[in-house]
């Protein structure tokens, strides 16, 4: 692909291939990434380096990384318009991470919510990588000088520490890094679990989690079993506080059909949850069907996938290399 002559704004994000992608990842993140491909210069990657902060089964990690790339494409990220790559293929990420670790403070890393959460969940493996993770994420971001980093609410703290690290570095060496902004979607920013509608949909609760590759009958079953509410009202009405289960289903239905909450209330007037739940299931099945079919089609073409990630890594490397060279020069390393 030709280099852009007019400088577009840059957008970048990544997802760890530590689990299979689900409806929350799709509606909260990937679905919105593709929308801006024309306007922005976009970089999206599989954050495989990050996954080993927690033990992974190697063959599963390999399968999920490739499958995630196929899903990015199936969700509408055109590899011609977006640079799609695997993080570990671009060595500048780990190279810059080391430098940034030396400009990241022990105290600020200790305050990271994700570190506190994960270290309490994996007490037997509180490794240095888990602690230093935000410096690697800062490197992932700053290498590409992005304007925006589209992530869900839970990643905002990591974008903020990235800004702090960049400002600290710039304060010493001049304007090396662009200071990025987090970009958090309003709709779909938080999809809740179908069985636990007060907790975010997560792969760690598989019964309440709709995976992008789930078969239609599995999705239908999950929606039929979705927790609605303990009230006896049996009425489809948006009330997030008192009816979180129904509100979540309405939110999902709205996100996949584009209908407003008023339109949904009207559509199901007098019909009750017994009719509503399977309809939401059907709408999700239809929204995910082309993604699942396209993913399977792309996955069968290993050569194509290989060409996408090779080309992506090359393009990513070209940008990343320029930033890393500048950083090495600024800190005083002798140029090779
Ligand atoms: P886990 O299932 O362990 O909580 P995850 O599926 O949330 O992990 P991440 O890698 O943390 O995976 O998330 C990838 C992206 O998807 C992030 O931008 C995150 O904010 C977004 N995301 C994840 N879950 C949801 C959700 N339930 N609703 C909306 N966005 C989500
Ligand atoms: N930390 C993120 C994944 C991630 C990321 C990034 C997101 C790694 N590097 C750079 C945006 C930009 C997560 O766990 N979801």
């Amino acid at each position: 692909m030709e280099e852009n002559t007019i400088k577009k704004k840059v957008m970048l994000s990544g997802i760890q291939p530590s689990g299979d992608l689900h409806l929350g990842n799709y509606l909260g993140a990937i679905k919105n990434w593709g929308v801006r491909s024309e306007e922005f210069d976009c970089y999206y990657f599989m954050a495989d380096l990050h996954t080993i902060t927690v033990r992974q089964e190697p063959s599963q990690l390999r399968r999920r990384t490739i499958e995630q790339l196929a899903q990015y494409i199936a969700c509408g990220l055109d590899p011609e318009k977006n640079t799609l790559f695997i993080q570990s293929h671009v060595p500048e990420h780990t190279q810059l991470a080391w430098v940034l670790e030396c400009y990241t403070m022990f105290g600020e890393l200790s305050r990271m919510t994700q570190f506190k959460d994960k270290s309490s969940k994996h007490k037997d493996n509180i490794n240095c990588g888990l602690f230093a993770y935000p410096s690697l994420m800062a490197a992932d971001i700053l290498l590409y000088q992005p304007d925006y980093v589209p992530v869900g609410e839970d990643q905002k703290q990591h974008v903020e520490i990235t800004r702090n690290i960049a400002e600290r570095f710039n304060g010493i060496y001049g304007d090396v890094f662009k200071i990025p902004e987090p970009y958090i979607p309003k709709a779909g920013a938080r999809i809740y679990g179908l069985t636990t509608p007060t907790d975010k949909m997560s792969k760690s609760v598989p019964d309440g989690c709709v995976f992008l590759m789930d078969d239609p009958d599995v999705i239908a079953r999950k929606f039929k079993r979705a927790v609605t509410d303990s009230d006896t009202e049996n009425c489809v009405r948006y009330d997030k506080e008192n009816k979180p289960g129904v509100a979540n289903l309405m939110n999902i239905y709205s996100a996949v059909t584009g209908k407003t909450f008023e339109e949904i209330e009207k559509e199901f007037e007098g019909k009750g949850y017994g009719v509503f739940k399977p309809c939401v299931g059907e709408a999700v099945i239809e929204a995910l069907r082309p993604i699942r079919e396209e993913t399977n089609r792309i996955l069968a073409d290993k050569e194509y996938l290989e060409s996408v990630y090779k080309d992506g890594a090359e393009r990513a490397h070209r940008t990343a290399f320029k930033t890393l060279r500048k950083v090495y020069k600024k800190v005083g390393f002798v140029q090779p």
Side-chain angles (χ1 to χ4, degrees), residues 110-127:
S110 315
R111 288 192 290 276
M112 292 293 113
T113 314
Q114 188 168 311
F115 172 69
K116 288 193 225 164
D117 279 359
K118 289 204 175 168
S119 53
S120 71
K121 273 191 208 144
H122 304 276
K123 284 206 169 64
D124 55 334
N125 184 20
I126 307 177
N127 59 69

Side-chain angles (χ1 to χ4, degrees), residues 15-16 22 24-25 28-29 151-155 188-191 200-204:
I15 296 183
Q16 298 190 42
H22 56 73
N25 300 137
V151 282
E153 191 67 43
D154 55 323
Q155 292 298 319
R190 201 162 270 260
I191 301 296
K200 73 165 201 166
M201 182 175 281
S202 158
K203 60 193 170 250
S204 44

Side-chain angles (χ1 to χ4, degrees), residues 1 80 96 191 271 313:
M1 211 167 79
E80 294 290 321
L96 182 62
I191 301 296
K271 289 192 180 141

